Amino acid sequence: VSSASASPLIARLAERTAAREREGVLRRLRTSDAAPPGRRRFEGRTLVDFGSNDYLGLASDPRVIEATREGARIWGVGAGAAHLLGGHTRVHEAAQEAIADWTGRESALLFGCGYLANLGIAQALVGTGDTLVEDKLNHASLIDAARISGARLLRYAHADCGAASRRLETLEGSALLCTDSVFSMDGDVADLPALARICEANAAALWVDDAHGIGVLGASGAGAAVAAGLGQAEVPVYMATLGKALGVSGACVAGERRLIEGLVQFARTFVYTTASPPALAHALIASIAIARSEGWRRQHLSALGTRLRAGLASLGYESRSATPIVPVVVGCAQRAIEISAALFERGFWVPAIRPPTVPDGTARLRVSLCAAHELSDVERLLDVLSEFADVKMPDATVY
Ligand SMILES: Cc1ncc(COP(=O)(O)O)c(C=O)c1O
């Protein structure tokens, strides 16, 4: 097929892609092969994987794998229908109950993934005439959620509770304040108690995206809201993803029963999609039980993070991180790519993250830790990074 026969729209798209390549910012899909926990295999080489959000190492846990097998034996693999059309099985229901119980919420609802859950929350809760107030560094799915809902989007400077409060003070109509709990590219934790107070003072509702907090934060891993002592009244809309620390796939929204009942009616991303595979709901129940009970995974993660942050600080890389996500901000996008490539050659998978995913001038390596890592993996990474420490932009930590 000659390119001349392509539709003008596809030709225009191809031109935009080519422009990205010319500017050296083309995104590339890299295909990996099976590897042991904490490792990733590319092109015949096994690397230490510092790019995964499988924080607790549960994606490859034999008990979770066995539960997936058992779930598939009982339920088959796919649900075959949307939740409202017969696809909602008893094992989906049991997984929802396990999540509600763990997070101390009345009820919970499964979604296909976090992106869809966020869109669905906004579709159900807000519309034209309402306002969504969001942290500037919120995940892209939360920005898209505002767009799809038709609500007005107001953003505030990252982690600036005063600015968030000012955004709410002058509003008319209903407002929802939405924040990542753990910011996905910086690893810092939002001040949820302060945001809850601001919401209460301004009759707004707080919506927390705990994609990177569930499993990781709190004594039993119940996530950022529980870790901050905030119940359903203070954080009425709680979303967590199930494909990161829990090692499975999908997402859940948890809160009061009326919220969940309303999502079943009005979240189009719940209604008009096939239910997630029941085999995965079966796996999720096993994975939640492990995440709740095996505190050593969180302790080990925390020790790895402490070592990594201390080592990076001694190389001059400070960060706001307080979690297994640790950014190494080098500033220049091209340099971040070069360092990532050099690390690849030395046996480490550490993705470079560039604008527009992060603000201009703050390109970085995003290191994410996993309970399957050894302290020696972190030590070796620091050794290699020390060879590049001089390339940091002078103001790169002031981002
Ligand atoms: C903060 C945040 N919210 C939502 C998502 C989307 O979740 P999912 O991957 O399940 O679609 C992600 C990342 O994937 C995330 O980092």
Side-chain angles (χ1 to χ4, degrees), residues 27 35 183 190 229 244 250 290 353:
R27 300 179 200 265
F183 288 87
K244 300 185 196 293
I290 300 169
I353 312 285

Side-chain angles (χ1 to χ4, degrees), residues 53 112-116 118 139 141-142 180 182 184 209 211-212 239 241-244 250-251:
N53 300 319
C113 69
Y115 200 112
L116 291 177
N118 282 339
H139 188 258
S141 60
L142 295 169
D180 283 22
V182 175
S184 54
D209 175 335
H212 300 275
M239 194 288 293
T241 62
L242 311 171
K244 300 185 196 293

Side-chain angles (χ1 to χ4, degrees), residues 73-98:
R73 257 197 312 273
I74 299 171
W75 299 99
V77 178
H83 283 277
L84 286 164
L85 299 178
H88 188 72
T89 65
R90 196 156 298 289
V91 73
H92 288 113
E93 198 57 30
Q96 290 177 175
E97 283 164 16

Side-chain angles (χ1 to χ4, degrees), residues 134-139 143 155-159 167 183 359:
E134 299 205 19
D135 188 291
K136 271 224 165 107
L137 293 189
N138 271 0
H139 188 258
I143 306 302
R155 301 172 81 185
Y156 58 89
H158 176 56
R167 287 294 198 197
F183 288 87

